Amino acid sequence: MASNSQGNMGGKSNRGFASMDPQRQREIASEGGRAAHEKGTAHEFTSEEAREAGRKGGQARSANRRNAVMNQNSSSHASGSNSNPGSHGGSSGSSNNE
């Protein structure tokens, strides 16, 4: 079996952008941003575009929170946790079969 010469013991790769120091990632991203501005292809948001993006982000976040609460409620109900066993047709000791 081949050994990793860089001492990779955590199972993660020591290569690529994600494995870099966060400061180095910022430097590289900054260089890309400067190049785009110099080339004239960088997008600059107008205040209206920024406002619209913020509004959409807020809507998405509140929808995600709503869905998380709904999923949490339905999973606890579906998992069989009965706080009131008589309310779901369970046997409570009495029967109407006479």
Side-chain angles (χ1 to χ4, degrees), residues 17-67:
F17 192 76
S19 68
M20 289 181 188
D21 176 5
Q23 178 60 36
R24 181 65 181 132
Q25 288 180 358
R26 281 191 290 274
E27 291 170 4
I28 293 171
S30 179
E31 290 171 15
R34 278 193 295 271
H37 279 282
E38 288 175 12
K39 188 176 176 184
T41 58
H43 180 75
E44 295 183 15
F45 283 97
T46 64
S47 60
E48 181 58 35
E49 287 174 321
R51 187 178 305 113
E52 180 69 10
R55 186 183 65 78
K56 287 182 180 180
Q59 288 176 338
R61 185 176 191 295
S62 65
N64 288 341
R65 289 175 58 90
R66 252 192 319 276
N67 290 338

